[in-house]
Amino acid sequence: MDQAKGKFNNIKVSIIGSGIIGKSNAFKLSDYGFNITLIDQNEIHNSSNAALGILMGKIYQKRTGRSWILRQKSSDLWPKWINILQNYNSKLRIEKPLLQLTDDLKKIKKLNTFANNYPYDDLETVEANSSILNPINKMFKGNRLQGIISHQDGRINPRVLLETLDIALKSKNIKKINNQVIKIEKNNNKIWNLKLKTGEILNSEIVILCNSLDSLNLINPEIYGIKLKPVIGQAVEIFQERENTNFLSLPKIMNINGKNLITISKEKMIIGSTDEYNFKPEEYYINELFEFLEYKPNWLDKKYISRKWFGIRSRPEGEPSPLLKSLEKGLILCSGFYKNGILLAPACSDWVLKEIKKHI
Ligand SMILES: Cc1cc2nc3c(=O)[nH]c(=O)nc-3n(C[C@H](O)[C@H](O)[C@H](O)COP(=O)(O)OP(=O)(O)OC[C@H]3O[C@@H](n4cnc5c(N)ncnc54)[C@H](O)[C@@H]3O)c2cc1C
């Protein structure tokens, strides 16, 4: 690593977008001595801040292809990253395990077969008579939920993660500019000029576009054949004070019939998320967060919503998510994280580092 440091010391890298992907790239590259600048104009409202932070790595059933490779890599890297990041914030951790449950008999069978096929991945079958199901059956009365436990998957609180990365980046002297990049172009010396909204020009050898949907505004998408569409994700927190309701009796992180549930306290639970192919969140889709079971428990009702929020993600059209591409010398695209951006961040940062090495 020290050898690498010397090699990349004077190379300027500009990262546009400071969501989880931009910050993770900055964090990874900072170990190699690059001269890094991270630019973002409005990170509070990005999709990373809206995320639930669930890590679905080992629980992913399709065990071939790029998506699996990225998940596998990230599942290995996250514990290592957390170890390092805990030096900056001891509160950061991965909460485990993740329970995937369903009342669909066909899916239960498929999940069981899957768990049995991968005995070394810490996947445990939850049979109908398993004691783990007692509190779940109590709270989700009437629904015959079964499934699997993934002991290596779980959740990272995204807000804590983003804050921790900020602390780490600051201590590593990564420059952060609170501004919008409105134009990028290559000058005659083959250096990239980045024009900021306030008129300043930055230059750098390497530009990494981590600005999700807005990356399309800085490049000519037709030249590179890139299409991205917006996908809104809404999530809610419910607050329920009934005496017989105690969310803490439930496993902390569950995926039930495709919806993610996170226990926050005795009275609070987060449920997410929707997939809306639009720029504006629609109230109508919130119903999906309450209508995913055959028998709806009383506490699972829209009237108990105490907080709701959304984020806009970008989904590639005509090719799988995410888009990891070198567009031309010194210009790298790291976008289209329609889902799983939190999970995939370390693996994608690894890819970016390898790609940069090809450019210099
Ligand atoms: C409700 C919800 C729940 C989710 N749950 C999960 C989950 O459980 N697990 C998981 O892994 N993923 C989850 N996701 C997905 C995850 O949030 C995304 O995949 C991830 O946040 C994408 O990160 P990003 O850095 O690419 O984009 P963003 O976080 O959107 O960041 C892009 C940044 O670019 C900046 N920017 C844009 N244009 C410019 C410009 N011209 N100049 C400077 N800056 C610019 C923006 O201000 C923004 O801060 C969820 C998403 C939502 C909405």
Side-chain angles (χ1 to χ4, degrees):
M1 201 175 274
D2 282 337
Q3 220 180 1
K5 265 191 172 172
K7 197 169 167 190
F8 302 128
N9 247 351
N10 294 318
I11 295 176
K12 282 190 189 167
V13 177
S14 292
I15 301 176
I16 305 175
S18 183
I20 184 63
I21 300 304
K23 285 191 210 297
S24 299
N25 282 330
F27 179 64
K28 176 79 192 180
L29 298 181
S30 66
D31 274 340
Y32 294 81
F34 292 100
N35 181 350
I36 303 164
T37 306
L38 189 56
I39 312 143
D40 199 310
Q41 82 278 20
N42 189 18
E43 62 181 272
I44 293 301
H45 298 292
N46 62 20
S47 76
S48 301
N49 274 286
L52 303 190
I54 293 184
L55 308 178
M56 296 181 111
K58 301 280 180 192
I59 215 153
Y60 189 62
Q61 293 189 36
K62 191 170 166 258
R63 292 298 177 106
T64 52
R66 188 188 66 145
S67 187
W68 167 241
I69 293 169
L70 289 173
R71 281 171 199 253
Q72 203 179 15
K73 179 110 203 154
S74 266
S75 299
D76 289 345
L77 285 175
W78 262 127
K80 294 175 189 153
W81 276 44
I82 296 289
N83 259 344
I84 300 167
L85 287 168
Q86 276 176 342
N87 294 321
Y88 301 97
N89 183 356
S90 58
K91 283 191 199 139
L92 185 71
R93 63 201 166 97
I94 306 179
E95 294 165 302
K96 297 176 186 174
L98 168 70
L99 271 78
Q100 185 162 14
L101 303 171
T102 176
D103 51 10
D104 180 324
L105 284 174
K106 266 193 193 160
K107 286 186 182 158
I108 292 171
K109 221 174 146 194
K110 208 174 156 202
L111 280 172
N112 289 351
T113 311
F114 165 63
N116 292 332
N117 283 346
Y118 296 96
Y120 302 112
D121 277 347
D122 257 346
L123 302 166
E124 185 189 336
T125 303
V126 182
E127 305 288 354
N129 58 358
S130 164
S131 62
I132 296 162
L133 286 176
N134 291 345
I136 299 172
N137 285 334
K138 211 171 152 199
M139 292 285 281
F140 292 92
K141 229 185 227 150
N143 297 286
R144 291 165 174 229
L145 296 168
Q146 278 182 65
I148 56 173
I149 306 175
S150 175
H151 290 279
Q152 288 188 42
D153 286 317
R155 177 189 187 230
I156 303 175
N157 182 322
R159 294 282 177 104
V160 178
L161 173 62
L162 294 165
E163 275 166 31
T164 308
L165 282 167
D166 277 340
I167 300 169
L169 295 178
K170 200 170 172 193
S171 86
K172 285 162 170 269
N173 294 322
I174 304 297
K175 285 190 274 316
K176 205 163 171 201
I177 297 181
N178 195 355
N179 213 321
Q180 183 184 7
V181 179
I182 55 166
K183 198 173 181 183
I184 54 171
E185 59 189 356
K186 221 178 213 177
N187 69 20
N188 293 338
N189 299 324
K190 301 206 162 72
I191 297 288
W192 289 94
N193 285 342
L194 285 74
K195 187 170 183 196
L196 305 184
K197 200 174 179 186
T198 42
E200 296 108 287
I201 307 277
L202 299 179
N203 55 58
S204 63
E205 280 98 329
I206 306 281
V207 175
I208 313 173
L209 295 167
C210 302
N211 52 336
S212 191
L213 205 58
D214 293 318
S215 50
L216 296 183
N217 299 331
L218 298 178
I219 54 171
N220 183 338
E222 278 163 26
I223 291 180
Y224 306 110
I226 288 161
K227 287 186 184 161
L228 286 169
K229 56 185 169 190
V231 190
I232 294 266
Q234 295 195 72
V236 297
E237 181 187 83
I238 53 172
F239 182 84
Q240 167 60 267
E241 272 184 312
R242 287 160 170 256
E243 263 178 34
N244 57 355
T245 309
N246 179 3
F247 294 136
L248 289 179
S249 68
L250 292 168
K252 177 118 198 191
I253 305 139
M254 296 185 289
N255 178 283
I256 302 183
N257 286 343
K259 292 293 163 226
N260 292 322
L261 287 85
I262 302 163
T263 299
I264 300 298
S265 67
K266 187 171 176 282
E267 300 93 0
K268 280 185 190 169
M269 175 179 273
I270 287 175
I271 310 172
S273 49
T274 63
D275 287 338
E276 306 167 35
Y277 289 84
N278 214 333
F279 278 105
K280 271 191 177 169
E282 298 277 354
E283 181 61 28
Y284 163 81
Y285 284 97
I286 293 277
N287 295 332
E288 284 180 12
L289 303 178
F290 295 89
E291 307 290 345
F292 57 92
L293 286 163
E294 195 175 346
Y295 302 101
K296 206 160 76 116
N298 289 337
W299 55 265
L300 190 62
D301 197 299
K302 271 172 82 172
K303 66 182 176 213
Y304 298 119
I305 293 177
S306 48
R307 207 159 61 89
K308 61 179 176 179
W309 64 93
F310 72 92
I312 306 182
R313 300 157 288 172
S314 55
R315 182 173 194 171
E317 280 189 87
E319 55 187 318
S321 166
L323 294 180
L324 302 175
K325 290 177 189 246
S326 278
L327 300 180
E328 46 185 286
K329 196 167 184 323
L331 183 60
I332 294 172
L333 179 68
C334 204
S335 176
F337 288 83
Y338 149 61
K339 281 189 175 172
N340 298 305
I342 308 285
L343 168 68
L344 301 180
C348 292
S349 305
D350 252 32
W351 177 86
V352 165
L353 174 66
K354 285 192 190 113
E355 206 60 17
I356 288 184
K357 288 178 181 170
K358 292 183 197 163
H359 288 241
I360 46 189

